[in-house]
Amino acid sequence: LQGTSANTTRLYKFSVENFGRTLGRPAKLEDLTDENLLRHMQRMLDDGAKHPTVNKDRAQLLAIWRFACKK
């Protein structure tokens, strides 16, 4: 996340940590699968998160996933 604001870094970190809560452990790159991402989104909705918040987490995790695939 070089060149991004401190707030952007904070939000990405929160999304990764939140994904880890779904997994029940710290998230790893190989955890980024369609199934895990769908489970994560459903868990957030079940916990009362609003759709924009769920979509933000999804977008940020997908951005990390796409970046990793390119590397």
Side-chain angles (χ1 to χ4, degrees):
L1 293 173
Q2 290 178 320
T4 62
S5 71
N7 190 50
T8 298
T9 300
R10 180 185 64 80
L11 292 172
Y12 270 80
K13 183 178 178 184
F14 178 80
S15 292
V16 171
E17 289 172 353
N18 195 28
F19 184 48
R21 281 192 280 284
T22 298
L23 299 170
R25 58 174 170 70
K28 296 186 268 183
L29 203 51
E30 58 262 22
D31 292 321
L32 289 169
T33 65
D34 292 334
E35 183 179 301
N36 282 342
L37 202 53
L38 289 171
R39 189 166 53 106
H40 174 60
M41 293 168 64
Q42 188 61 56
R43 195 245 339 140
M44 289 181 69
L45 290 170
D46 292 346
D47 287 352
K50 303 292 182 200
H51 288 271
T53 302
V54 174
N55 286 334
K56 177 197 64 72
D57 258 32
R58 176 188 167 275
Q60 290 179 340
L61 293 169
L62 286 175
I64 293 168
W65 195 359
R66 279 191 298 274
F67 179 79
C69 285
K70 287 181 182 181
K71 293 295 176 181

